[in-house]
Amino acid sequence: MTEIGHVALWVALALGVWGAGAAFVGGRLSRGDLVLSAERTVYSVFGLLIVSSVAIIAAFLGNEYRYQYVASYSNIQLSTFYKISGLWAGQTGSLVFWALLLALFSSIAIVQNRTRNREFMPYVAGTLLVVLSFFLVVIVFASNPFKLLPFAPSDGQGLNPQLQNYWMTIHPPTLYLGFTAFTIPFSFAIAALITGRLDTRWIATTRRWTLLAWFFLTCGIIFGMMWAYVELGWGGYWFWDPVENASLLPWLTATAYLHSVMIQEKRGMLKMWNIFLVIGTYLLSIFATFLTRSGLIESVHSFAQNLQIAWIFLGFMSVATLVSAGLVWWRREQLQ
């Protein structure tokens, strides 16, 4: 089963790269067959990530300590409850879980718009697949959950005692749901900039997605506060370390967007501001993830330092920022 999960990651990466190219080329050349292929690729990547996630959980439940990730976050005495949550207990598994949630939301967005907003969908699907391909590149080349140890130990190192709390199964998934859901409004904003259709339609289409992402992020922050209070004795949000405070940054910009977008819908104002807020919210969610994995900050929430992952994240953020800024500059007159 684990070998199948490993192969599924490679196939998902290849399909993601193909689908991203097909989506943008199909949209540019008005090739419906390529756009349809890209949309079906989203479903395929989602299915393959399910296979990989199930394989990781099976490795935890089967005590397969030949895998470095399993040996680092599990042992024989660990309860089944925490072995299942091992999928997001460490850096490697959390990246797979992030990609799985993003593929789920991407598939739902494609299904919702299979008969509407067709001028947006090639670029929405393309943007989503670019982001998915980025995470798959990180997983396959820099943080592979199926990396084998030179020898198979008889037992693993076990899960950090601070993580053996019921909030472990609630806080990280909820926070990830908020972060990943923001990718949908971001993708529609990029599609609106590419097509030049900068009226309120893309905003109306993504309103529920933005509310959903904001709701999950809010709950994730609150759950994290409660976990910190119980486990570490911290008495308030600002007693958290910088990594957890970073999750507040996209929440602030998302809250501002939810309010200012109503002005655009009613008065046609703040177009530029709303575009910046959507793009900024997404980039800040990636930045918060980057802080957790870069090793720049000493924190109980940071994963093991991996400079390779840090550079890949930094490169992706730089490219995403430059591309977004270039599109905004290109459409600056229409955004007035």
Side-chain angles (χ1 to χ4, degrees):
M1 178 64 185
T2 50
E3 288 78 7
I4 296 175
H6 192 189
V7 173
L9 285 177
W10 282 94
V11 176
L13 174 58
L15 286 176
V17 173
W18 153 256
F24 285 110
V25 173
R28 183 73 179 88
L29 301 180
S30 299
R31 289 276 303 274
D33 56 335
L34 291 178
V35 176
L36 181 61
S37 176
E39 292 178 347
R40 290 176 176 174
T41 297
V42 174
Y43 307 142
S44 300
V45 171
F46 176 46
L48 290 166
L49 284 169
I50 290 177
V51 172
S52 294
S53 300
V54 171
I56 294 173
I57 294 175
F60 271 94
L61 295 176
N63 298 323
E64 297 191 39
Y65 302 123
R66 55 182 175 143
Y67 295 107
Q68 181 177 347
Y69 181 59
V70 177
S72 299
Y73 294 96
S74 181
N75 57 17
I76 296 175
Q77 290 76 29
L78 194 66
S79 66
T80 302
F81 188 72
Y82 293 117
K83 286 183 179 180
I84 295 175
S85 65
L87 176 61
W88 56 82
Q91 174 173 269
T92 301
S94 68
L95 289 170
V96 176
F97 187 59
W98 182 295
L100 175 66
L101 294 178
L102 178 56
L104 169 63
F105 287 146
S106 301
S107 299
I108 295 173
I110 297 296
V111 170
Q112 286 179 333
N113 294 275
R114 61 187 181 277
T115 59
R116 59 180 180 176
N117 300 317
R118 296 310 301 170
E119 68 275 24
F120 289 148
M121 295 316 295
Y123 307 107
V124 170
T127 303
L128 291 171
L129 285 168
V130 166
V131 178
L132 276 170
S133 298
F134 156 69
F135 277 99
L136 287 167
V137 166
V138 175
I139 294 167
V140 170
F141 294 106
S143 188
N144 197 314
F146 300 105
K147 181 179 180 181
L148 294 170
L149 291 170
F151 63 94
S154 59
D155 199 0
Q157 299 176 14
L159 188 64
N160 187 328
Q162 291 181 340
L163 299 180
Q164 296 185 37
N165 187 292
Y166 61 90
W167 287 113
M168 174 62 188
T169 61
I170 303 174
H171 165 62
T174 308
L175 200 64
Y176 290 167
L177 283 168
F179 282 156
T180 54
F182 277 126
T183 312
I184 307 300
F186 169 75
S187 300
F188 273 91
I190 294 298
L193 287 168
I194 293 175
T195 59
R197 298 179 181 271
L198 295 166
D199 52 17
T200 59
R201 190 149 59 92
W202 74 271
I203 292 175
T205 301
T206 59
R207 181 186 291 110
R208 291 182 179 179
W209 282 106
T210 307
L211 288 170
L212 181 72
W214 183 88
F215 170 77
F216 279 125
L217 184 57
T218 302
C219 292
I221 291 173
I222 294 173
F223 294 158
M225 293 164 58
M226 298 172 70
W227 185 10
Y229 184 80
V230 170
E231 190 67 37
L232 299 174
W234 294 338
Y237 187 85
W238 292 109
F239 287 95
W240 287 18
D241 58 26
V243 170
E244 286 298 340
N245 285 332
S247 65
L248 183 65
L249 298 178
W251 184 89
L252 291 173
T253 54
T255 303
Y257 171 72
L258 286 173
H259 287 79
S260 66
V261 76
M262 292 186 290
I263 299 177
Q264 180 177 342
E265 289 185 296
K266 294 180 179 180
R267 301 183 182 181
M269 301 168 61
L270 301 180
K271 287 184 180 181
M272 180 81 76
W273 176 243
N274 288 326
I275 284 287
F276 274 127
L277 284 176
V278 169
I279 295 173
T281 298
Y282 173 73
L283 292 176
L284 285 172
S285 68
I286 296 295
F287 175 73
T289 309
F290 164 73
L291 276 184
T292 309
R293 291 158 175 82
S294 63
L296 293 176
I297 298 175
E298 292 293 333
S299 164
V300 295
H301 299 92
S302 293
F303 295 109
Q305 295 186 14
N306 189 326
L307 292 179
Q308 186 179 11
I309 289 181
W311 282 111
I312 296 174
F313 264 89
L314 189 61
F316 176 75
M317 286 191 297
S318 301
V319 172
T321 302
L322 290 174
V323 171
S324 300
L327 289 172
V328 171
W329 178 258
W330 180 34
R331 300 295 186 184
R332 64 189 182 281
E333 295 183 358
Q334 293 176 254
L335 290 170
Q336 294 298 323

